Structures are given as structure tokens and as C-alpha cells.
Amino acid sequence: MTPVLEIKNVTKNFGGVRAIDDFSVKIEPGKIHGLIGPNGAGKTTIFNNITGILTPCNGTIIFDEKEITGKKPHEIAQYGIGRTFQNIRLFSNLSVLQNVILACSMDAQYNLIDAFIRSPRYRRMEKQISEKAMSLLESVGLDGNCDEIASKLPYGHQRKLEIARAIALNPKLILLDEPAAGMNADESAELVGFILEIKERHEFTVLMIEHHMDVVTNLCDYVTVLNFGKTIASGTPAEVKKNEHVIEAYLGGAEGC
Amino acid sequence: MFSDYTQGIMIIACINMIAVLGISVLTGFTRLFSFGNAGFMSIGAYTSALLTAKMGMPFIPAILVGILFAGIAAYLLGSLTLKLKGDYFLITTLGFGEMVRVLFNYIPITGGARGLSGIPKYTTLPIAVICLVLAVIIAWTLIHSKYGRNFTAIREQEIAAESVGIDITRSKKMAFVFSAMFAGWAGALYAHNLMFLSPMMFNLAKSAELTITVVIGGLGSLTGSIFGSLVVTLLPEIFRSLANYRMFLYGLAVVLIIILRPAGLFGYREFSIRKSIAFVKAAPGTITALLKGKSSKDKMEARK
């Protein structure tokens, strides 16, 4: 099967610091791929390189058989990569519904003249967008909150809203940056169920950064472990947990003790 | 119907509102600050004035060319500067506004610092009102389409806006050109109202006034901006007898509004007649409900 996303030998330097060092990975369609590693290992930097916020110094990124290296963030989103952020970035003063509607701008294929004369095309598309937004909110269980201001939502709901917003792009791939951050065991267990369910319903592939090992174990089909910008291990969660490099990176090596 | 004085003030209010609507879209909805819109006003004003006075062009085409020139200037400037982050962009607009002013001071055809006179009087009250209504409709439709939504997304969270596929540079440029065209429109009407132009009319203070008006009215509310410019235009007229204290009171009002209502008079909300009527209608109901609630409580207590 051709991978949804293929990263080939990507390197990113910040001045003298090598944040990502010759990183390669293949993400199979329909799978949930985990990216783990200690703080500062370069996980979010990889996300930012994929989504075009940063441009890799070296290497190529291929998404859906098209090269996307160095493209602008909005172009990459338009290709079909949705993302969430480590520190939630909602359109905070707007309502929950508006947050999702804003993310449907690609479905609004009308021009300025359509907008000014309120042409049938404009009305049809605007109607479709609000229906789509409502059904998305329904599928993440936020349809009861659609008029609330996004920043007033409880934390867990904000996470869900951010995911709903990413799904609004009809993405093939969604990048989740620490979706369980700040959640307790019960909440993360709920999140696992939520992600699995929503992934089945909307048929996308997931690449996620996560620190909660229980979330990773329950969700991920495959895990890549990073340390100092390098891949130190990869495999199924069970394999990775036994890997001595991983144990060393997380707990400190024998010489460290 | 109105005295000449009242009509004059009303025309000025309409013109200001058009320029302020442009800033409202730019600053209120996209959160880009421009201190150069007086520059775009002057481009619209001088273009339309020169075309009618020196070349005998009719009023409407002259205004349209004025608007177009202001828009082109904004497009070129925006292409160069819109990739800059917040404050840096603001400073380039400030520089631009001053540059245009100095330029009009030196080009002979504009009459330089002595000013340009002999501009035909075309801006009557009906024309100003029609222009304002048109401007409101255009701004309203834009804000309530996907373009306006994209602006709002940039205001709320630029990085997230990009991540959902919004071309932020393009949207910003659009908002900037739009605000410049509105400024040009206002400038052209201004020229044909005053029948005299001097570069000093379009200085930094004018640009600042436009932005302050939007802040007072509420960043993110078109009706707030309209209300704000009404306040800013009319207050000095009401306080005309206090001539020397006018600017002082104006400054005081701005400071007080920013302290007491940081989101502006209207905040993010739009004024809606339907909602206001609902509110007024609900008021007696609420009062009776409160009274009833009280009386039923009394009854409950009596029962105890």
C-alpha cells in the first residue's frame, strides 16, 4: 500500500541546533501512528515541517503522492492535512459553530460577485457549509454547545472542537499534537474511544504526538520514538516499550543512574 | 429640510463613516492596524478632484477612478509589506501616509501646500447618504461571506487560520485594499464637498482618528463603527462652544472608553433592531416575572 505520508531524510537546524536529524517515516493509510519521545526531541518540529510552518533544511515530504516540501501552510491544509495544536488554538471569541464554519472555507467555492449579489450558488454553498458544520459538531458531541463561545468551553470540549475543526477540511491525514495533554486517566480513556470512533466515521489517518503511554498503547498501531531529533526505535507500542534505547531515553541510561 | 450647517455636518458624518467602515473591516475584523488610510483618502480625493476640475470628467467615473487608484496603491504597498508581522506593518502604513502627503505637497499639479481649489461641488446630502448606504451594504455583505469569515479567522488566531486552509496573505491584502478603496471613496466625496484640498488635511492625525473611531465603536462590529464615527463627528460639533477644550475632551473620552469598555462601545456585537425590540418587549415580562416570582415566594413562606 502506498503510504499517505512519507518523510524522507528530513533535517531541520535552528542555528547550530539540529532539531531534526535525518528523519524518515512512512505513515500507512487508515492507521494511527504515534510519535513519542522526551521533551525537546523534535516532535512538534516535525509537525511544523509537515504543515509548512517551518521548511526543512534537507529532505522531502510526500503526501498522497505529491511533494509538499516547502509549501505554505494553507496549501498543505488544502491538500488534506488537518492538525490540532499542543496549546489549543481555537478562534476563541467566536461561537463553537463559527469555529467549524470558518474551517469550511474551502467548501465555499463562490467568488466576490456571488457574495455581493447573494447568488443561488452562494446561498446553496453557505447552506451546505452550515449543515456540514452542524453535522460535524453532532459527530463530536458538541451540537448542544454550538452557540457557546469557544474559549468558555471546558478543556476537554475545546480539544474536541479543535479536532472537529480539523475534520472540517475533509482531511486524509490528521496530525494531533498531544491530544491528551492535561487530562487525567478517565478523560484520556474517553479520548481514546472518541478518536477511534471519529476516525472510523470520517476515514482519515492519524499521526499523533502523545506523552500518555496508556493513550499511545491503546490507540497507536505503530510508534516512532524520537530523541534529540533522531529515530531511536520504531514498531508496535508493545515492541517499542521493550526497546532498551527507549527505556534509556526515558529513564536515563545505566551510566546515568 | 435641514439648515446648511446641519446638512454640512451630516455630509461630513457620512463621509467619515465610509472611511471608518473601511478601517472597521481592516482593524475590527482582520486586526491589522493602518495609520496610512488618510493617504489613501488623499489619493482618492486628488484623483477625483483633478479629473473633474482639470479634465472635465463627470462625477461618478471620477470617483470610481479615485477609488481604483487608492486600491491599486494599497495593493502595491500590501504586496510589499503584508508579510510583516503586526507592528512592522503598522509602521510601513504610517510611512506611506506621510509619503503621500509630502508627495502631494511637491507635485505642481496638485497645487502643493497652497492647496487645490476650484473643485466642483458634487457631494450633496442625498449623494452622501446614498454612498453611505451603498458602503454599508457592501461592507456588510463582505463581512458575512466567506471572505469576512477568513478575516475574522485571521483576527482570532492566525496560525490556526492557516491550518484550516485560509491563505492569510491574500485575505490580509484583500482587507487592506478594501479599506483603502473605502478611504479613497470617502476622500473623493470629501474633495467634492469642500471644493478645496490641501495635503495637510490628510495627515497622520486624520489616519489616527479613523482608527480611534473604530476602537471606540468596537473592534469587530460594523454598526459599532458607524455609531463610533457618529460620536466622533458630532461630539466636537456639540462642544463647539468649548473650542479650546474640544481635543482635550475628545482625548478624555477615548481614554475613558478604552478603560471602561476595552472592547469598544459595541464590542463584538452588532446592533440589531429585532434584538432591541425583543429586549424592549421582554422587559415588562421580565419585571412581571420577577414580581410573580417574589409573590410566589411570599406565598410559599406564608404556607410554611
Side-chain angles (χ1 to χ4, degrees), chain A residues 146-162:
Chain A
C146 59
D147 290 327
E148 276 176 57
I149 297 297
S151 60
K152 300 266 160 50
L153 284 181
Y155 184 77
H157 285 182
Q158 291 195 14
R159 285 270 174 217
K160 284 184 179 172
L161 178 56
E162 215 188 14

Side-chain angles (χ1 to χ4, degrees), chain A residues 12-88:
Chain A
K12 179 73 190 173
N13 301 325
F14 293 114
V17 181
R18 180 153 289 195
I20 312 174
D21 192 359
D22 201 22
F23 177 78
S24 299
V25 75
K26 280 184 189 173
I27 316 282
E28 301 293 330
K31 294 279 190 299
I32 299 184
H33 196 117
L35 199 57
I36 64 171
N39 286 325
K43 304 179 297 288
T44 301
T45 311
I46 288 174
F47 268 29
N48 287 342
N49 275 289
I50 298 172
T51 53
I53 292 177
L54 299 171
T55 308
C57 301
N58 260 316
T60 47
I61 301 169
I62 293 157
F63 172 69
D64 202 18
E65 297 174 0
K66 289 183 288 273
E67 186 172 343
I68 58 165
T69 330
K71 293 259 191 255
K72 287 190 188 140
H74 71 267
E75 292 172 319
I76 289 168
Q78 287 170 1
Y79 283 132
I81 301 184
R83 78 169 292 182
T84 67
F85 297 88
Q86 195 173 349
N87 42 348
I88 303 174

Side-chain angles (χ1 to χ4, degrees), chain B residues 6-7 21 31 34 36 50 55 92 96 99 109-110 121 131 154 174 179 186 197 200 222 246-247 268 270 285:
Chain B
T6 324
Q7 280 200 22
L21 277 173
R31 205 55 104 242
S34 165
L50 289 171
M55 298 189 186
T92 58
F96 171 80
M99 185 191 86
I109 196 170
T110 63
K121 167 96 180 175
C131 282
I154 293 171
M174 191 171 171
S179 88
L197 286 177
M200 266 318 284
L222 287 177
R246 257 167 73 187
M247 288 322 279
Y268 287 103
E270 295 289 3

